Amino acid sequence: MRLKGLRPSRNIEDRRRSGGAGRGVGIGGAGLLVVLAIGYFTGIDVTPLLEGGQGGSVQTAPRDLSPEEQRAADFSARVLGSTEQVWSAILPAQADIAYTPPVLVLFSGVTRSPCGGASGATGPFYCPADRKAYLDTEFFATLGRDLGARGDFAAAYVIAHEVAHHIQNELGILGAVSEARQGSTEARANALTVRLELQADCLSGVWASAVDDLLEPGDIDEALNAARRIGDDHLQRQAGRVPQPHTFTHGTSEQRSRWFARGYDRGQMGDCDTFAADRL
């Protein structure tokens, strides 16, 4: 992805320099993948697992950022800037509402949000309570090293997906789904969440379609591969489990890649209505 010369967003809140919760005991290889899967499927805060079960976070002194961390911040700011340009044009044109961009919080290890504890183990997420997306930039390395989704556009897709959840929040979709989930069976609640996540994948594809002039050969393949690598069925197999569709909360690998491709091919928000789709 050609990001040089692209205006970086100012809507970045970088918490990585400040003292606070540290990483605790490191987990590598298959162990990290299992912990990732636990957080991904259940939505629980797996921070204690990453801290070796010591029941608390390690306080660290303010620190300088490494060159790699600086590059990750610049990359994130430029990708976020591209989403601001795209949605500031598309949302008024296709949904007749003005776009108010989210803030992207960069953190290291563990931080806090109004939606609960934010941990690099559970991956990036969007909190509708403060309209902020949360990202431990170490997740970029995890994405390539442990999940097999390599490439800068795979990382960009992750940010675009969280921004897509912000779009859903702006449209009132997140609130409607949250209300519908209340009182539903677990299977029904999960099914609604799958439709929400697949719609975010499709909206990410709409963003990718709008930044087509920034793409390099292979970029879309990187995004499609990332979508497949974080499908519920693939992650459950990687964690040594037999895929159980009633527990899915994000969609299968095939569904995630197909809905992203749909958004990219058509470039229209109206084609991302997963809630009206008979077949996901």
Side-chain angles (χ1 to χ4, degrees):
M1 188 176 187
R2 295 186 294 270
L3 293 174
K4 187 177 181 180
L6 189 67
R7 177 191 62 82
S9 172
R10 295 182 178 179
N11 293 308
I12 298 287
E13 181 183 330
D14 198 337
R15 299 180 183 177
R16 297 173 302 169
R17 292 183 185 275
S18 61
R23 291 189 178 279
V25 178
I27 301 176
L32 175 60
L33 195 58
V34 171
V35 174
L36 279 166
I38 292 172
Y40 186 88
F41 295 130
T42 65
I44 64 173
D45 183 357
V46 296
T47 299
L49 295 178
L50 295 184
E51 294 169 347
Q54 296 177 8
S57 59
V58 179
Q59 296 300 310
T60 59
R63 64 183 182 85
D64 293 329
L65 299 180
S66 69
E68 183 178 0
E69 288 174 314
Q70 294 279 20
R71 287 191 294 271
D74 181 70
F75 172 83
S76 300
R78 292 180 189 277
V79 171
L80 188 64
S82 76
T83 67
E84 291 169 354
Q85 290 183 17
V86 167
W87 291 114
S88 291
I90 290 181
L91 207 58
Q94 297 188 17
D96 198 28
I97 63 173
Y99 182 56
T100 303
V103 169
L104 178 61
V105 178
L106 304 180
F107 67 95
S108 180
V110 181
T111 193
R112 287 289 172 190
S113 83
C115 295
S119 167
T122 53
F125 73 96
Y126 174 75
C127 178
D130 61 1
R131 287 180 158 80
K132 295 180 179 180
Y134 289 78
L135 170 67
D136 182 343
T137 52
E138 177 63 21
F139 185 75
F140 293 148
T142 299
L143 194 65
R145 181 186 61 238
D146 297 305
L147 298 180
R150 297 176 177 84
D152 60 349
F153 201 69
Y157 153 74
V158 169
I159 296 174
H161 180 91
E162 299 312 320
V163 171
H165 283 313
H166 177 68
I167 299 296
Q168 292 172 315
N169 194 35
E170 294 288 280
L171 295 172
I173 296 171
L174 283 187
V177 171
S178 178
E179 184 176 346
R181 281 171 51 92
Q182 296 178 12
S184 297
T185 64
E186 182 178 357
R188 172 59 178 163
N190 287 345
L192 287 169
T193 304
V194 166
R195 290 180 182 268
L196 190 72
E197 293 294 336
L198 293 179
Q199 184 180 58
D201 283 329
C202 185
L203 292 172
S204 302
V206 171
W207 159 80
S209 177
V211 297
D212 196 61
D213 59 323
L214 301 177
L215 303 187
E216 298 174 307
D219 277 349
I220 293 301
D221 289 337
E222 290 176 3
L224 291 172
N225 179 57
R228 288 190 291 267
R229 293 285 181 168
I230 54 179
D232 286 322
D233 53 339
H234 178 75
L235 284 175
Q236 287 190 359
R237 289 190 187 95
Q238 291 297 100
R241 299 169 56 186
V242 175
Q244 301 176 7
H246 70 281
T247 68
F248 290 174
T249 57
H250 287 68
T252 66
S253 295
E254 188 275 333
Q255 289 170 333
R256 299 202 68 172
S257 59
R258 178 162 46 82
W259 279 96
F260 175 87
R262 181 187 179 100
Y264 177 72
D265 291 338
R266 303 188 183 186
Q268 297 292 316
M269 295 175 63
D271 288 322
C272 294
D273 189 359
T274 55
F275 296 94
D278 293 330
R279 172 181 176 268
L280 291 178

